[in-house]
Amino acid sequence: DSDFIGNSASKTGIRALDLVDSLRLLTVPGRATAAVHLAMISYCEITRNMTVFAVRDPPAGQTAAQMVTYVKTTAAIKELSEFGAIYWPRIKISNPSKTIFGTDSNVVVPPSAAICGVYARNDAAQPGGVYEAPAGIEFGRIAGMTGLETDEVNDE
């Protein structure tokens, strides 16, 4: 976790982004731990003075009940900040390389990058830009998604 969290003195981890003035979304794809999630919120809210929003991934293979426990107890991030959200479940996409990712036609990936794409598409398409919620039938669709990690939710 310390590699991803980094430190301000050596500008490593998320602190390497201190030099990026136009940063508005922060994600650490695939690193879904309580320590990283808390560091992301601290970075967005305190270090970046509430100008950055954290898009966090869920831990892999979680059920809905396990996610509730993770958010409320394990990571203790429920209602901690308005400058971050966690998205569950992980998503399935078409396998881009069967030699690297195995022979399955789909692979499960963290949703953060796709969610950031929805945010960006929504911001560019709406007259309200960043002030419009990135949800709904038209703008909330995740391009390239073939399914969800779990069938506890309906992906239709």
Side-chain angles (χ1 to χ4, degrees):
D1 286 346
S2 61
D3 288 342
F4 293 90
I5 295 168
N7 69 63
S8 59
S10 60
K11 299 291 185 222
T12 59
I14 60 177
R15 295 307 301 263
L17 299 170
D18 288 354
L19 305 173
V20 181
D21 290 335
S22 61
L23 183 70
R24 294 297 172 256
L25 293 174
L26 172 67
T27 186
V28 181
R31 194 63 179 191
T33 65
V36 170
H37 285 164
L38 290 168
M40 290 171 73
I41 287 300
S42 175
Y43 184 76
C44 292
E45 197 166 309
I46 298 166
T47 306
R48 294 306 289 249
N49 198 28
M50 298 181 273
T51 61
V52 178
F53 188 81
V55 179
R56 296 169 290 183
D57 290 317
Q62 300 288 294
T63 65
Q66 289 169 325
M67 276 306 299
V68 169
T69 299
Y70 177 80
V71 169
K72 285 183 174 179
T73 310
T74 308
I77 55 177
K78 185 177 189 303
E79 298 179 15
L80 179 64
S81 174
E82 295 177 12
F83 297 93
I86 188 166
Y87 291 87
W88 174 87
R90 293 163 48 104
I91 63 173
K92 289 181 184 177
I93 62 169
S94 293
N95 188 342
S97 174
K98 291 185 179 181
T99 58
I100 296 173
F101 301 107
T103 58
D104 289 343
S105 58
N106 293 304
V107 292
V108 175
V109 297
S112 60
I115 296 297
C116 287
V118 171
Y119 277 34
R121 186 175 65 239
N122 186 73
D123 291 353
Q126 296 282 347
V130 298
Y131 302 103
E132 294 285 335
I137 299 301
E138 185 177 349
F139 295 107
R141 292 194 177 178
I142 298 175
M145 186 177 90
T146 60
L148 301 169
E149 178 181 37
T150 177
D151 56 6
E152 266 190 273
V153 293
N154 185 344
D155 63 348
E156 294 177 14

